[in-house]
Amino acid sequence: MGAKAKKALKKNMKKISASAAASSSSSSQLAVPENPKPSADFLPLGGGPARKAPVTKPVESKATVLYIGRLPHGFYETEIEAFFTQFGTVKRVRVARNKKTGKSKHFGFIQFEDPEVAEIAAGAMNDYLLLEHMLQVRVIPPEHVKPNLWKGFKCQYKPVDWVQIERKQHNKERTLEEHRKMLNKVVKRDQKRRKRIEAAGIEYQCPELVGNTQPLPKKIKFSED
């Protein structure tokens, strides 16, 4: 590069630096608006000025009742309350039971005092393996909780003693007419059994019923007339 070319390059660099300094000083002297307009989130389709999206607050959950499914055998009210107390205060527990036998239907409900505790317990215990059963735990919204859900949850269910009921039914005092009906049913059942044995091709001589000629019952209830 010659001497003339070097001089021309220096002049051009000085001009560029001078113009840059002038532009920076002018931009610094510009007035800043006191109330800048907030940035808009969207423009309405029907036209008009830009609008800001409304700020939505997160909805706080008020659900405190949990559904617990796939309960294993032996994991009942007392065990559920003792196990879930590690998360927080438990208000009440109910296990669905059969009305006749009193046995568990393998699902139930539990209620906490704090909604946050209920959310944490549902998230921690859902799909939790307990005694070879995968628990199914979920939060029940307050609008889906039935008013009779906790009806009689403190009552300890006593299973019905069906043996005692059948014993009383068998040993009750009967009238002569009731005793004849009972004997006729016994004879009819015996005849059906004999026919089934013959239809099967089995050679068997069934023993005769004792008392098919209407013997006197042990207890007979006589009418006052």
Side-chain angles (χ1 to χ4, degrees), residues 183-194:
L183 290 177
N184 290 333
K185 289 181 181 180
V186 174
V187 172
K188 287 181 180 179
R189 285 199 300 267
D190 183 68
Q191 290 175 355
K192 289 181 180 179
R193 182 170 62 251
R194 291 171 184 267

Side-chain angles (χ1 to χ4, degrees), residues 71-83:
L71 290 174
H73 176 69
F75 196 67
Y76 303 139
E77 290 89 349
T78 305
E79 291 78 11
I80 292 174
E81 184 175 0
F83 186 83

Side-chain angles (χ1 to χ4, degrees), residues 95-109:
V95 175
R97 294 181 177 274
N98 189 293
K99 293 182 179 180
K100 291 184 177 181
T101 62
K103 294 183 179 180
S104 171
K105 292 185 178 180
H106 302 287
F107 71 91
F109 306 92

Side-chain angles (χ1 to χ4, degrees), residues 193-194 197-198 201-207:
R193 182 170 62 251
R194 291 171 184 267
I197 293 174
E198 291 178 0
I202 301 173
E203 295 181 1
Y204 177 73
Q205 187 176 0
C206 297

Side-chain angles (χ1 to χ4, degrees), residues 212-225:
N212 57 359
T213 57
Q214 294 186 358
L216 292 176
K218 295 180 180 179
K219 294 181 182 180
I220 299 177
K221 183 180 179 181
F222 294 95
S223 60
E224 295 181 357
D225 298 337

